[in-house]
Amino acid sequence: MQTSGTDKERGVMEQVIPQSKVGNKSAAYRRMGWFMAVILVLVLCAAGSLAWFNINMAETSLKQDVERRLQFTAQNKANALSLWFNSMQNQANRLISADLFRLFASEVNGLGNDLSPLLKASGDSPSGNDDLSQLASQLPLMKNLLQEFISYSGFLRARITNADAQTYLSTDVTPPALSLEQQQGIRQAVESGKLGILPVRKTSNGLVLDLVVPIFAPQYVENRSEKPVATLLLSLMVSSRLGETIDTAKGESSFGVTHVFQIVGTKLQDLLPLSADIQNLPDWQLGQNDSLPFGIRGGEAGSPDEVYSIGVKVPELPWLVVQEVPVAAALKPFLAQRNAIVIWAVIAVVVVLLALLAVWWWLVGRNARNVSAELLQLYQISNQQKQLLDGINSALVDGIVLTDKADAIVADLKANGDRVERLLVGGFSDGEKAALRDYVARMRANIERAQREFEHQTL
């Protein structure tokens, strides 16, 4: 009986404690942590990519809108200037289309390049040349017609010259000498037979534009030449018209600031402001059809601010209407939209981060509950072993004498305890092992205190 009881007790001592799963679960949670970190990185990349895409789309859309509005405003101004110039050109064409002027210019052209006899002759004085006297008698009438044309057409002054740029009819009492540029313009108009437009020049009265209109002989003239027989040089004050162009830029349909440039060869000259001299613009390259493509350029002289600008050529005029707006002012709506996109992207990332932290916190709490359950199981098994040892000691009348079987039981208990300890602390750090020993010691103290209270109550 004693042997049977001893074997039963040894079987209880050899009870197998389940292997701890704390180490495996810790590895699983580490993998979960890496997985969440990858998800967070992907969310950050996605949020950054979407924000970058939306910001680029917003910036591109805004630039296209700025270009469209500048193009629309500049085109309207160019069309207005073109209509104004066409009306002035049509008035000049009506004047030179009159047979009276064309026939008079053709007869004067027959005198050759020496016009001094015509200018000195008069209709009342005998000159020995009836044709010359007849032409001289027509000079006052032609001058009155030319002055009348100037009074209602809006031109500043006018003169008629022969093919060699010699003036024989003018609205001025004493016509000023032609400049070298005007003489070259007259000769080019005679050579090409087309309207000549000279560069705008600044005078004491403002900006003046000179037009050279070729005059052809009537069709019925004998030995008619296909080349012009004379030219009509018209001077037009453009300061008021340019001022109106600036003022209309302040209307509701306008956008930005308006400039008017004239094209002189390969250079651009700024005609505005009216109070300043005409300035050359360095390093401004014209695009196709003498237009100025949309882009970022430097602002006014001495200004460090950059501007978005676009230029539209005025039809039939060597002028360019340039519309510009400061980059800072144009991008102000985009900056507000960009800040809103960035804020929403940050909010999305924060929400995802908080969600991942909540999941991680829940997993950590579940891991702590699993550890508590395993510690409770350890306590229950250790308590059973303690009760078994107490029962053995109390059943013996004499002191315990260690026999071979007792030695084996003690060795088994010790080995089993060492194995249990190794299994339970598998994967634990030194700090976690120390904390676990502290937990077990406190639990044993709590058990002994509870046992003493129970025994005290039963007595």
Side-chain angles (χ1 to χ4, degrees), residues 179-438:
S179 65
L180 180 61
E181 192 174 51
Q182 289 173 328
Q183 295 178 18
Q184 292 176 350
I186 291 173
R187 293 188 176 94
Q188 290 176 0
V190 172
E191 189 68 26
S192 64
K194 298 180 181 179
L195 173 70
I197 303 175
L198 303 184
V200 176
R201 53 189 173 89
K202 188 172 184 180
T203 66
S204 58
N205 296 326
L207 299 178
V208 176
L209 174 67
D210 292 327
L211 303 179
V212 183
V213 186
I215 302 177
F216 295 88
Q219 295 288 342
Y220 52 81
V221 174
E222 295 182 1
N223 300 323
R224 179 180 182 274
S225 175
E226 296 297 330
K227 287 189 175 182
V229 295
T231 62
L232 174 64
L233 179 62
L234 297 171
S235 297
L236 179 62
M237 184 70 67
V238 297
S239 299
S240 59
R241 185 62 201 180
L242 293 177
E244 293 175 4
T245 303
I246 298 175
D247 292 337
T248 55
K250 301 176 183 178
E252 295 181 357
S253 61
S254 300
F255 178 69
V257 179
T258 303
H259 292 272
V260 179
F261 300 156
Q262 68 173 346
I263 304 172
V264 182
T266 59
K267 296 182 179 180
L268 292 177
Q269 293 181 342
D270 192 358
L271 300 180
L272 301 176
L274 300 175
S275 59
D277 294 334
I278 299 176
Q279 300 290 335
N280 290 326
L281 299 176
D283 302 330
W284 281 51
Q285 300 297 329
L286 294 176
Q288 296 181 353
N289 302 323
D290 290 336
S291 62
L292 193 66
F294 176 77
I296 298 178
R297 297 176 177 87
E300 298 179 358
S303 175
D305 299 331
E306 293 184 330
V307 296
Y308 285 118
S309 60
I310 191 171
V312 178
K313 186 180 181 301
V314 179
E316 296 146 0
L317 268 176
W319 290 2
L320 197 68
V321 177
V322 176
Q323 203 73 15
E324 65 180 31
V325 63
V327 173
L331 293 182
K332 187 175 295 183
F334 162 71
L335 296 177
Q337 188 174 2
R338 183 190 63 182
N339 293 338
I341 292 174
V342 172
I343 290 174
W344 280 110
V346 171
I347 290 175
V349 171
V350 170
V351 169
V352 173
L353 179 61
L354 292 177
L356 292 177
L357 289 176
V359 172
W360 178 255
W361 184 261
W362 179 79
L363 292 175
V364 169
R366 191 176 69 171
N367 186 28
R369 290 190 296 271
N370 293 336
V371 171
S372 299
E374 291 191 4
L375 290 175
L376 180 59
Q377 184 181 11
L378 173 63
Y379 161 71
Q380 292 174 349
I381 294 175
S382 300
N383 190 38
Q384 290 178 2
Q385 293 179 352
K386 181 177 179 300
Q387 292 176 357
L388 178 60
L389 291 175
D390 293 340
I392 293 173
N393 289 330
S394 61
L396 296 177
V397 178
D398 299 327
I400 296 177
V401 179
L402 295 178
T403 62
D404 294 337
K405 292 183 178 182
D407 292 337
I409 291 173
V410 172
D412 288 341
L413 288 173
K414 189 173 182 181
N416 193 22
D418 293 339
R419 183 172 64 83
V420 168
E421 183 177 356
R422 286 194 304 273
L423 292 174
L424 289 176
V425 298
F428 282 24
S429 63
D430 294 339
E432 291 174 339
K433 290 178 182 180
L436 179 60
R437 285 194 293 268
D438 182 64

Side-chain angles (χ1 to χ4, degrees), residues 89-109:
Q89 184 180 0
N90 290 335
Q91 294 186 70
N93 290 334
R94 283 197 297 270
L95 177 66
I96 65 171
S97 297
D99 286 345
L100 181 61
F101 271 94
R102 297 173 66 185
L103 182 59
F104 179 78
S106 177
E107 293 176 350
V108 172
N109 184 62

Side-chain angles (χ1 to χ4, degrees), residues 28-202:
Y29 290 138
R30 283 195 296 270
R31 289 193 298 271
M32 181 62 69
W34 281 110
F35 177 73
M36 290 183 177
V38 171
I39 291 178
L40 181 59
V41 171
L42 293 177
V43 170
L44 288 173
C45 293
S49 300
L50 288 176
W52 176 82
F53 176 77
N54 289 329
I55 289 174
N56 280 350
M57 288 292 293
E59 184 177 9
T60 302
S61 176
L62 180 65
K63 287 182 179 179
Q64 291 175 351
D65 181 66
V66 171
E67 180 181 3
R68 178 185 58 80
R69 296 176 65 184
L70 290 177
Q71 174 78 23
F72 177 78
T73 304
Q75 189 67 56
N76 285 343
K77 303 296 181 296
N79 292 338
L81 289 174
S82 178
L83 290 175
W84 163 77
F85 178 75
N86 286 334
S87 67
M88 304 302 293
Q89 184 180 0
N90 290 335
Q91 294 186 70
N93 290 334
R94 283 197 297 270
L95 177 66
I96 65 171
S97 297
D99 286 345
L100 181 61
F101 271 94
R102 297 173 66 185
L103 182 59
F104 179 78
S106 177
E107 293 176 350
V108 172
N109 184 62
L111 300 177
N113 294 331
D114 187 10
L115 299 180
S116 56
L118 173 65
L119 299 178
K120 294 178 181 179
S122 64
D124 299 331
S125 61
S127 61
N129 190 336
D130 294 339
D131 293 338
L132 183 61
S133 298
Q134 186 177 3
L135 286 177
S137 64
Q138 294 179 2
L139 282 176
L141 173 62
M142 303 303 296
K143 184 174 182 178
N144 291 335
L145 292 176
L146 196 60
Q147 288 177 336
E148 182 180 354
F149 168 75
I150 292 298
S151 64
Y152 71 79
S153 64
F155 285 97
L156 182 64
R157 61 175 57 92
R159 69 171 71 189
I160 296 179
T161 68
N162 63 1
D164 198 33
Q166 296 180 11
T167 302
Y168 59 86
L169 193 62
S170 174
T171 56
D172 294 324
V173 176
T174 304
L178 294 174
S179 65
L180 180 61
E181 192 174 51
Q182 289 173 328
Q183 295 178 18
Q184 292 176 350
I186 291 173
R187 293 188 176 94
Q188 290 176 0
V190 172
E191 189 68 26
S192 64
K194 298 180 181 179
L195 173 70
I197 303 175
L198 303 184
V200 176
R201 53 189 173 89
K202 188 172 184 180

